Amino acid sequence: LAMDKARKVFEQLPMRDVVSWNTMISGYVQNGLSDEALKCFTQMQNEGVCEDVVTYICILKACGIVGSIEIGENIVARVRKQGLLLKDTMLGTAVVDMYSKCSALKKAREVFDELPTRDVVSWSALITGYTQHGHGWEALKCFQQMQDDRVCPDVATYICILKVCGSLGSLEIGEEVHALVKKQGL
């Protein structure tokens, strides 16, 4: 209902720029309407409005949610062509997340390895991908690499890793992770 109202206001705007398009696309994604976000993106392109980093991040999220690797790879190609992948960690993380959600874990890891900086969000995106697709040992290896790189895990990372420990039946590693959680006061 709120998105219907937003769409009506949007359609009445005398001029729609990249910010107004991004607002609509983001609204659709945040409200669980990723298919509508993709349609909105297509309409934006048809009207000749150039996308920006925010557009790419939102559309990559929508692609991951609906599993549209084709559109996602098209976006990744644009991002690479513009040299943005190496300049924007949030955008790089969005690419990793999209590939992870679309079960393209090898591509997710390749992009992750290209990122000039890796923060807790980018590590968590990769770890979550491995976890959700049944690659628990890979998730644990990433968790160890994350710590070796001195990136401090957050609550989401710990939840994911504890799920892995449970699914693998690894009480010893689970206890070590629990000790880290306690040490951080989480």
Side-chain angles (χ1 to χ4, degrees):
L1 185 62
M3 285 308 300
D4 291 337
K5 289 179 183 178
R7 185 68 189 205
K8 285 179 185 172
V9 171
F10 175 76
E11 288 175 355
Q12 293 174 358
L13 292 174
M15 188 181 95
R16 295 184 287 223
D17 61 6
V18 68
V19 174
S20 55
W21 282 102
N22 286 347
T23 302
M24 286 304 300
I25 292 167
S26 176
Y28 282 130
V29 173
Q30 290 175 10
N31 285 283
L33 302 166
S34 293
D35 285 323
E36 288 300 314
L38 294 173
K39 289 178 191 173
C40 193
F41 176 65
T42 300
Q43 184 182 355
M44 174 185 171
Q45 291 177 305
N46 290 341
E47 292 188 16
V49 178
C50 292
E51 59 273 347
D52 64 8
V53 170
V54 174
T55 316
Y56 291 142
I57 290 170
C58 291
I59 288 302
L60 287 165
K61 183 171 180 127
C63 289
I65 291 169
V66 301
S68 180
I69 196 164
E70 299 83 16
I71 296 171
E73 287 194 318
N74 185 309
I75 297 301
V76 172
R78 292 179 196 194
V79 165
R80 285 187 184 284
K81 187 175 181 179
Q82 296 176 35
L84 297 173
L85 190 62
L86 301 176
K87 294 179 185 172
D88 193 298
T89 302
M90 284 180 56
L91 181 55
T93 299
V95 173
V96 171
D97 186 57
M98 182 275 300
Y99 277 134
S100 293
K101 287 180 177 160
C102 291
S103 302
L105 297 172
K106 184 178 179 189
K107 289 184 179 185
R109 183 62 199 227
E110 287 169 0
V111 171
F112 178 84
D113 288 340
E114 289 178 47
L115 297 177
T117 58
R118 299 175 193 109
D119 60 12
V120 66
V121 180
S122 53
W123 276 106
S124 292
L126 187 62
I127 290 169
T128 300
Y130 283 131
T131 302
Q132 290 175 339
H133 296 289
H135 299 274
W137 292 112
E138 282 300 316
L140 288 174
K141 282 188 353 190
C142 283
F143 182 68
Q144 185 59 54
Q145 289 172 331
M146 176 183 183
Q147 292 176 301
D148 292 346
D149 285 356
R150 302 199 188 289
V151 176
C152 188
D154 63 7
V155 173
T157 313
Y158 282 126
I159 289 170
C160 199
I161 289 300
L162 287 169
K163 283 182 186 178
V164 167
C165 292
S167 69
L168 295 174
S170 181
L171 181 62
E172 184 179 322
I173 297 172
E175 287 176 337
E176 290 173 17
V177 172
H178 182 237
L180 291 171
V181 169
K182 285 175 74 174
K183 185 178 177 183
Q184 274 189 259
L186 299 174

